[in-house]
Amino acid sequence: MFTFQHHTDNAKVLTGVVLPNNTGTSQLTGVVSIHVFAITLISADKPSSVQRPSLYIQNVRSTTKFRILDDKQIQLFEITLNNFAPSTAGVEAWITRDTSMMLASDSLDTVIPGSVRRLRGGDQVRILVGVANKDGVEPGTPISDVQILIDGRPVGKEWDAIAGIPDFYTGDDSLMTHESAEWFDNAKFGLFVHWGIYSVPAWTVSGTQYAEWYWYWQHNPANESSAVWTHHKEVYGEDFLYDDFFPDFTASEFNATDFVQFVVNIGAKYFVITTKHHDGFALFDTWNSSNRNSLLYGPKRNLIGEIVNATKATQPQLHTGLYFSLPEWFNPAFAKNAYNSSEYEPYTGYVEVEDFLQDIMRPQMEALFYQYKTDILWCDIGGPTVFPDIAPRWFNWAKENGRHVIANARCGANYSDFDVKLRKWESSEGSDPYSYGYNHDTPDENYRNASYILHSLVDIVSKNGNYLIDIGPTANGTIVSPSRSSLLKVGEWLRFAGEAIYDTQYWYVTAEEGDLRFTTKPDAFYIISLSYPTNGVLRSMSPLPLKDGDIATFLGPNQSQRELAWSWSENRVFELLVDEEELAMVQDVWAFKIKYT
């Protein structure tokens, strides 16, 4: 169950809310519907004057996010601030100068004040304030006297909060307070990598199935109606088993340092790589839990160890995400031979255990936590899990070491730090539109091009999401040309226009207007156009938070910083005069910065 907030124009009279009376479809569930349990309207009372801002604190939330300042953990509070002056009010009713936000409490000291420089009528902003507990106040202490100070003056009521971040413990009431890290909120763009034994056959009918599910499709169904079953029989023969692909997973062309540099070159701030997919073959040392790994078979290398070490040594600013499949399709050795149902396929490297969860899943997850020090546990499939039992120790250990680690929504728990659709969310898809793992049946021209990837990134970020774009290297570790070239073009754009993406917030009033997308920072507003501005003018009918004197520039490769003229028309249409020569230097997406003055 989630909450969703939507903007309404406070210069108009709300007479009703009409909900859609239709459903969509989903590949998994067949039907998609939204069940609304409650709607709350926050009344924007008519201000007594429209000659000054009408500020209203909508919410104050003590989070489990933190920063490290002078080796001390600083808890972050999130303040939601509205300006209830009408959206049509003049700039005298806006915030147009640096305005400080602090917390006052008998239990807390403000260490990192928040600030807002621009808030027009009918708009909202989310502000982070860093606090530390006063001497004698234990982390996790409930308090009820939090007062917000705007430029030193108290505004609104006193709020309940939790002073300090307590240690996490087993149970939903504790784990559900864990949340997305600030670094993840700000990163926006990550690289997903699907690489394993399935990269050897690397086949299904393009556009129909995931190629990394090769072994599954070979068995489901195990007859002529399965394209993979038929393909395998014709190409490799009935006696050639899935595990016979092990020697051809060589990683012979893979260099961890080059891989990490590629992540940086495409502009990604984090990566997520498969440590173990559903076939149970691990790319890391699984110790006594299994011998089915890349140290003993295939390349005979600890591929995850190499990547983690290369990241730490050469690109320590990157955040590491490790993908982990909760189930293993055919463990322990119960997969009947796809061509002879009386026989069972071997499960190479299987170690006899008493309990899959405690003897395989738990030690492998904990290796990813403590040996490889992952920042993200990116689980897949879900189902029976040990995660809720072992997560508290991991969260606390990371927190004690100044790190905020996170887990996605597929780890089998009743909570997550981020989701695939809602709250702080992340969208993932392949650069091959039909598969995450490499599929040699997909022609190069069918891969997603730079224009598609950039448009997706900008659109997702404008709506508070992160974009995780996937590549499927070949069995020898090569990143195929169409994936490589498109992503490097994305990196080129981010090098000169990335400030409109990284560390931004979504704009509360609207995320989009036609081909325009909007993002914000405390000191600037960004307009990103997905289409070429025609006739030298970019236009917007949205109530942009811009006033006379604000400085507009084009974020282009020559970084000229030349000021662009702009104005409001008589019909309140924003018109920005653009430089055609500078625009011509860029393809696919055009970003503009308007710096508040």
Side-chain angles (χ1 to χ4, degrees), residues 80-360:
T80 303
L81 176 66
N82 293 303
N83 184 356
F84 277 165
S87 63
T88 53
V91 295
E92 63 276 5
W94 302 9
I95 292 178
T96 58
R97 58 175 179 79
D98 287 331
T99 302
S100 70
M101 306 284 291
M102 301 180 67
L103 272 65
S105 167
D106 291 340
S107 303
L108 298 169
D109 289 320
T110 296
V111 179
I112 305 175
S115 67
V116 55
R117 184 180 293 183
R118 183 63 51 83
L119 189 63
R120 67 167 295 146
D123 205 347
Q124 179 189 96
V125 67
R126 297 149 303 285
I127 303 160
L128 293 177
V129 175
V131 302
N133 284 17
K134 292 184 176 180
D135 291 342
V137 180
E138 292 296 320
T141 300
I143 58 177
S144 57
D145 67 340
V146 174
Q147 177 70 64
I148 302 302
L149 305 179
I150 300 181
D151 281 345
R153 298 188 302 273
V155 174
K157 66 177 185 178
E158 293 185 342
W159 295 83
D160 296 337
I162 300 297
I165 304 171
D167 282 346
F168 297 94
Y169 56 86
T170 302
D172 288 352
D173 55 337
S174 174
L175 293 180
M176 290 181 75
T177 67
H178 199 268
E179 58 188 294
S180 167
E182 185 183 24
W183 68 258
F184 184 76
D185 296 344
N186 292 337
K188 310 301 182 184
F189 188 40
L191 179 68
F192 210 180
V193 185
H194 276 65
W195 192 35
I197 299 303
Y198 43 83
S199 306
V200 179
W203 190 90
T204 187
V205 178
S206 183
T208 63
Q209 298 168 328
Y210 293 150
E212 66 273 17
W213 281 47
Y214 184 93
W215 198 12
Y216 183 87
W217 301 131
Q218 188 189 359
H219 285 265
N220 294 277
N223 56 47
E224 291 85 351
S225 65
S226 166
V228 171
W229 185 92
T230 303
H231 169 85
H232 187 93
K233 179 180 178 180
E234 293 175 349
V235 175
Y236 304 103
E238 294 184 5
D239 296 331
F240 191 97
L241 305 177
Y242 182 81
D243 287 3
D244 292 332
F245 288 124
F246 282 15
D248 292 323
F249 180 59
T250 65
S252 58
E253 299 300 314
F254 179 75
N255 179 283
T257 300
D258 292 344
F259 165 75
V260 172
Q261 184 63 53
F262 177 74
V263 177
V264 172
N265 290 346
I266 70 170
K269 299 298 185 182
Y270 64 101
F271 63 87
V272 178
I273 185 168
T274 50
T275 66
K276 183 182 74 172
H277 205 256
H278 316 319
D279 61 3
F281 188 90
L283 306 189
F284 65 102
D285 192 345
T286 49
W287 296 95
N288 296 330
S289 66
S290 172
N291 292 325
R292 190 178 175 85
N293 63 53
S294 63
L295 284 78
L296 299 174
Y297 299 97
K300 296 185 179 179
R301 294 162 58 183
N302 187 340
L303 296 170
I304 297 303
E306 292 178 18
I307 292 169
V308 168
N309 290 337
T311 301
K312 181 178 179 181
T314 66
Q315 303 293 344
Q317 79 283 1
L318 286 179
H319 288 274
T320 297
L322 299 182
Y323 167 111
F324 185 81
S325 172
L326 267 60
E328 297 178 17
W329 282 322
F330 305 123
N331 183 324
F334 64 80
K336 287 188 176 181
N337 187 298
Y339 305 97
N340 184 347
S341 61
S342 66
E343 296 180 0
Y344 284 83
E345 287 194 31
Y347 201 69
T348 306
Y350 173 66
V351 173
E352 189 74 32
V353 297
E354 293 184 5
D355 186 290
F356 179 85
L357 296 182
Q358 295 299 326
D359 300 331
I360 295 179

Side-chain angles (χ1 to χ4, degrees), residues 362-551:
R362 180 172 188 148
Q364 291 182 9
M365 274 192 179
E366 289 182 335
L368 302 184
F369 296 163
Y370 305 114
Q371 181 179 350
Y372 300 99
K373 295 181 174 61
T374 188
D375 297 308
I376 307 171
L377 181 66
W378 211 104
C379 302
D380 204 3
I381 298 296
T385 183
V386 297
F387 182 71
D389 297 323
I390 66 175
R393 177 172 170 251
W394 179 42
F395 292 159
N396 293 333
W397 173 79
K399 179 164 61 76
E400 289 166 5
N401 286 278
R403 298 170 54 228
H404 189 160
V405 295
I406 56 177
N408 72 342
R410 298 180 180 180
C411 293
N414 292 328
Y415 91 102
S416 69
D417 299 320
F418 64 97
D419 214 321
V420 293
K421 290 294 181 186
L422 301 163
R423 298 173 292 168
K424 176 60 190 181
W425 57 283
E426 177 187 68
S427 179
S428 74
E429 60 182 352
S431 53
D432 176 341
Y434 314 112
S435 183
Y436 285 84
Y438 172 56
N439 182 5
H440 64 73
D441 192 57
T442 301
D444 286 3
E445 60 269 21
N446 283 9
Y447 276 73
R448 303 192 194 280
N449 58 31
S451 179
Y452 175 93
I453 297 170
L454 277 170
H455 284 211
S456 298
L457 172 64
V458 169
D459 184 63
I460 288 166
V461 169
S462 74
K463 298 174 173 67
N464 197 38
N466 281 16
Y467 187 37
L468 187 64
I469 185 69
D470 176 83
I471 58 172
T474 66
N476 68 13
T478 300
I479 301 171
V480 296
S481 177
S483 291
R484 175 180 288 275
S485 60
S486 293
L487 286 169
L488 288 175
K489 288 178 182 177
V490 171
E492 291 173 6
W493 184 87
L494 285 167
R495 271 190 287 279
F496 56 77
E499 71 166 278
I501 299 295
Y502 307 126
D503 303 320
T504 60
Q505 287 192 16
Y506 64 94
W507 185 34
Y508 169 69
V509 173
T510 184
E512 64 179 70
E513 176 194 340
D515 281 344
L516 301 181
R517 300 294 183 270
F518 308 105
T519 59
T520 71
K521 286 182 178 176
D523 64 346
F525 189 83
Y526 297 90
I527 305 173
I528 310 171
S529 180
L530 306 183
S531 60
Y532 189 90
T534 58
N535 300 321
V537 182
L538 181 144
R539 293 181 173 86
S540 173
M541 299 181 66
S542 297
L544 308 182
L546 307 176
K547 71 173 185 64
D548 291 344
D550 289 345
I551 299 171

